Amino acid sequence: MRLSQWNFSVDTGFYPLGSCTMKYNPKTNERQMALPGFARAHPLQPDHLSQGALRLMFELEHFLTEITGMAATSVQPAAGAHGELAGMLLFHAYHRSKGNRRNKILVPDTAHGTNPASAALCGYESIPVKSNSRGILDAETVAAAMDEETAGIMVTNPNTIGLFEENIREVVEVVHAKDGLVYGDGANMNAVMGIVDMGDIGIDVLHLNLHKTFTTPHGGGGPGAGPVCVSGKLEPFLPIPRIVKQGERFAFNYDAPQSIGKLQAFWGNMGVLIRAYSYILSMGGENLKKVSQMAVLNASYVKEQLKGTYHLAYDRPCMHECVLSDKHQQPQKVTTLDIVKRLMDYGFHPPTVYFPLVVPGAIMIEPTETESKETLDSFIEAMKAIAAEAEENPELLLEAPTTTKRRRLDETAAARKPCLRG
Ligand SMILES: Cc1ncc(COP(=O)(O)O)c(C=O)c1O
């Protein structure tokens, strides 16, 4: 009992972990997931005894297709990175079907590390593409790198600096002109639900992180889900089995000769899929759009309140997160790490730090839509108080955290020689 409280939870504290969308996980999701018909279902039950589970997966695929504006979805991948791997396999299957020989993928310098890793797992060489001085991609830079040996590009939109890739349509045109494909990393969909139609923009494959946007729990390496949504031309390659509706019945269909095959021992992380389905139904379309509007409003409020105190990497309208840095605190020899360790003394979970790599000393704050103005204000106050401490008494920050059960860890030793017994 006490042990659970030495940890930090999104139910009890502000958890502004940029790029991770640590938002409140509604308890109704847990109740639906625990319904005996779902909780006691066995993955080897035949189709006719699994109609409820099949219907839920079928309908969830359709909801996600509609939310993203794509043509079809598979809920099979078990994480964002697994969705990326599925996407790269889809790229490969598409090019093979057309007799194209492609061995490279363009990956912007703002990408999450899993993007080049997923491309490499499929045997592609990642070619880095520089973002411009405004933190986004230029179509000209992409055009200079795009050739007929390149399978396509992976673009996160909004990107990991919390900025909307405004030139995405031009980027898509450049890549499609060479019969390349555009992968949309949709991990940041929380900012644009009901607002941006990814299919209309010309995205060919998009993964979603249900454990971020759709309020299913994550962290600590727990199970997630990274459904892949595709445009019409990639639908024949989706993983099998596809879930189909035949009259009033639902069934698994393995008859897809061009499919990339099966990605899981069974069908998907069912407990996660049920929670996401529950969230979508309990919210409805209009409220999902409001979620994104509120997520952007909250991040913009934090950015505007803190931009004089901390260096703001890109002084432009942000989406769901904003990126500050320790540049103003450097003369006091106070670093990003010291600042966020001190935040723990004020009762807040540290934001993501030193990522994205394009911003030295990055402090990446994603407040999410589920926090009140009062919470945001107390966080802002704490950040300002820490900046004042950095001026007046930097020692306080260098020693932080002082109120936690464990003080500052030797992070290298903690990673290399973990002691998991407390
Ligand atoms: C932009 C982006 N892409 C991909 C991923 C990978 O997702 P997952 O952690 O579910 O594998 C993340 C995770 O934080 C992300 O932020």
Side-chain angles (χ1 to χ4, degrees), residues 19-20 79-82 84 112 114-115 156 160 185 187-188 207 209 211-212:
S19 195
C20 290
H82 200 199
E84 292 169 27
H112 195 258
T114 48
N115 285 193
T156 308
T160 54
D185 180 325
N188 297 332
H207 88 257
N209 293 53
H211 44 293
K212 299 184 187 187

Side-chain angles (χ1 to χ4, degrees), residues 33 38-39 41 50 52-57 60 75 224-225 264 267-276:
M33 188 274 306
F38 287 132
S50 310
L54 284 169
R55 176 178 162 196
L56 183 138
M57 286 191 277
L60 180 59
V75 291
Q264 286 249 29
W267 327 113
N269 271 334
M270 196 59 195
V272 175
L273 304 182
I274 297 164
R275 288 177 175 98

